[in-house]
Amino acid sequence: MSDHHLAQASALICGVRAGRGTAPIVESFFDEATNTASYVIHDPATRSAVIIDSVLDFDVASGRISRKSADKIISYVKTEGLTVGWVLETHAHADHLSAAPYLKAELGGQLAIGREIIHVQNVFGKIFNAGTEFARDGSEFDRLFDDGDHFMVGDMQAMALHVPGHTPADLAYVIGDAVFTGDTLFMPDYGTARADFPGGDSRQLFRSIRRLLSLPPETRLFLCHDYKAVGREQFVWETTVGAQRSSNVQVHEGVLEDDFVAMRNARDATLSMPKLIIPSIQVNMRGGHLPDPESNGARFLKIPLDAL
């Protein structure tokens, strides 16, 4: 991870805050069933938009899929007269299925994720015995971002920052003065992401968080999840770098790396797997594409026994 890229991100954020760039308009969509916040971000001048971390509704008991959450995003985009240029994933989520291919088909845009998705595909391709038809080369996505890659949302500058730890492939997206952190951080009163999935690493997570918290303190942070910390009655998913530095209960300023690693590893050892990890990873490692129908016309997901 390059400090040069972090300096570029900081300059971008400071430029917007100083009036030398456009601040994006951010609309959030919270899915309480999976505790997931999805986002539509757009440039007010050009109406060009990007969608981040969408949700495909899935009922695990019946195996039924619906698109109510994604349809809310589609309705908003059309009502606001936006043009979607990007459909982005921060990582291959383990707690919800991605609606990215559906949104791309309905609204257009390029589907993108971090290049390390190839590592995730190799790990989980073996776990799910995906076979040779699963390429494991990231080709399900239109673009694979590397750390520091720049892209445009209308006239607004944006860039990707590699923040591994929760998974090897996590990205944060800097768009104007806003950063979309994926699962790396939660609200200050809740803490940080787990790091015990295959390929996760609590030490990498700490360093990634420290990287994000080196951005200017006024930077707006938009999180992928909220679980309502004890004593808080409302879901919230927006905070700032300054608030995280001063009051994140697990990783505020002054917390040492070794202490964080010991805490995170001990806590993760007590956690059960997310209830949707098996369907989510199978779908999301393929860019949100569902398995092909079999000879009877139905689609099937596998359940590997004693593998996770």
Side-chain angles (χ1 to χ4, degrees):
M1 294 186 292
S2 169
D3 288 340
H4 174 65
H5 296 150
L6 190 64
Q8 288 181 324
S10 295
L12 173 60
I13 292 163
C14 289
V16 172
R17 302 292 293 185
R20 297 190 299 272
T22 302
I25 294 175
V26 180
E27 184 72 14
S28 59
F29 299 81
F30 189 74
D31 175 55
E32 191 168 344
T34 62
N35 297 93
T36 302
S38 305
Y39 298 98
V40 177
I41 306 99
H42 78 266
D43 174 9
T46 66
R47 315 299 290 176
S48 182
V50 57
I51 300 168
I52 297 180
D53 289 339
S54 59
V55 172
L56 185 69
D57 304 295
F58 179 69
D59 179 64
V60 69
S62 66
R64 290 193 175 275
I65 286 170
S66 66
R67 296 171 175 83
K68 292 183 291 184
S69 295
D71 285 340
K72 291 178 183 177
I73 290 176
I74 293 170
S75 176
Y76 173 79
V77 167
K78 291 182 176 179
T79 298
E80 293 295 316
L82 307 180
T83 300
V84 175
W86 296 96
V87 181
L88 304 179
E89 300 288 351
T90 55
H91 63 294
H93 304 273
D95 41 34
H96 69 270
L97 281 66
S98 170
Y102 174 62
L103 291 170
K104 179 182 172 182
E106 295 293 319
L107 299 172
Q110 296 185 71
L111 174 58
I113 199 168
R115 185 172 301 280
E116 288 301 311
I117 188 63
I118 295 171
H119 176 73
V120 174
Q121 289 177 328
N122 274 289
V123 169
F124 283 98
K126 294 175 183 176
I127 289 174
F128 290 108
N129 196 29
T132 56
E133 69 276 8
F134 179 42
R136 299 170 172 84
D137 60 1
S139 56
E140 297 83 359
F141 300 86
D142 299 310
R143 180 162 175 188
L144 302 180
F145 284 120
D146 291 306
D147 183 54
D149 277 356
H150 289 255
F151 59 102
M152 299 298 293
V153 181
D155 293 334
M156 296 188 306
Q157 294 188 53
M159 67 183 297
L161 293 176
H162 187 210
V163 286
H166 174 61
T167 80
D170 281 61
L171 288 183
Y173 294 105
V174 183
I175 304 175
D177 66 337
V179 179
F180 300 84
T181 67
D183 286 12
T184 305
L185 280 163
F186 298 141
M187 290 300 292
D189 60 359
Y190 199 89
T192 68
R194 63 194 297 168
D196 61 328
F197 296 151
D201 185 287
S202 56
R203 197 167 296 278
Q204 274 193 329
L205 178 62
F206 179 86
R207 294 173 183 177
S208 293
I209 290 170
R210 282 285 173 257
R211 191 181 195 210
L212 289 175
L213 298 189
S214 297
L215 294 169
E218 65 273 15
T219 302
R220 295 187 290 162
L221 298 182
F222 293 88
L223 317 178
C224 188
H225 296 288
D226 186 56
Y227 302 96
K228 288 199 291 192
V230 174
R232 175 156 53 83
E233 296 182 356
Q234 294 183 325
F235 290 108
V236 285
W237 46 85
E238 180 181 354
T239 182
T240 66
V241 165
Q244 294 281 14
R245 287 183 194 173
S246 65
S247 57
N248 186 290
V249 294
Q250 294 177 350
V251 73
H252 57 79
E253 286 185 344
V255 173
L256 301 178
E257 181 174 319
D258 287 345
D259 292 339
F260 174 83
V261 169
M263 177 281 300
R264 190 69 265 172
N265 290 348
R267 180 171 173 79
D268 289 351
T270 70
L271 301 177
S272 58
M273 286 289 105
K275 66 180 181 179
L276 292 184
I277 186 171
I278 288 175
S280 294
I281 294 294
Q282 281 179 85
V283 170
N284 296 340
M285 72 181 186
R286 294 179 168 90
H289 295 283
L290 300 174
D292 291 333
E294 297 192 8
S295 58
N296 64 351
R299 303 175 190 269
F300 294 87
L301 294 169
K302 297 179 179 179
I303 300 178
L305 302 180
D306 300 320
L308 294 172

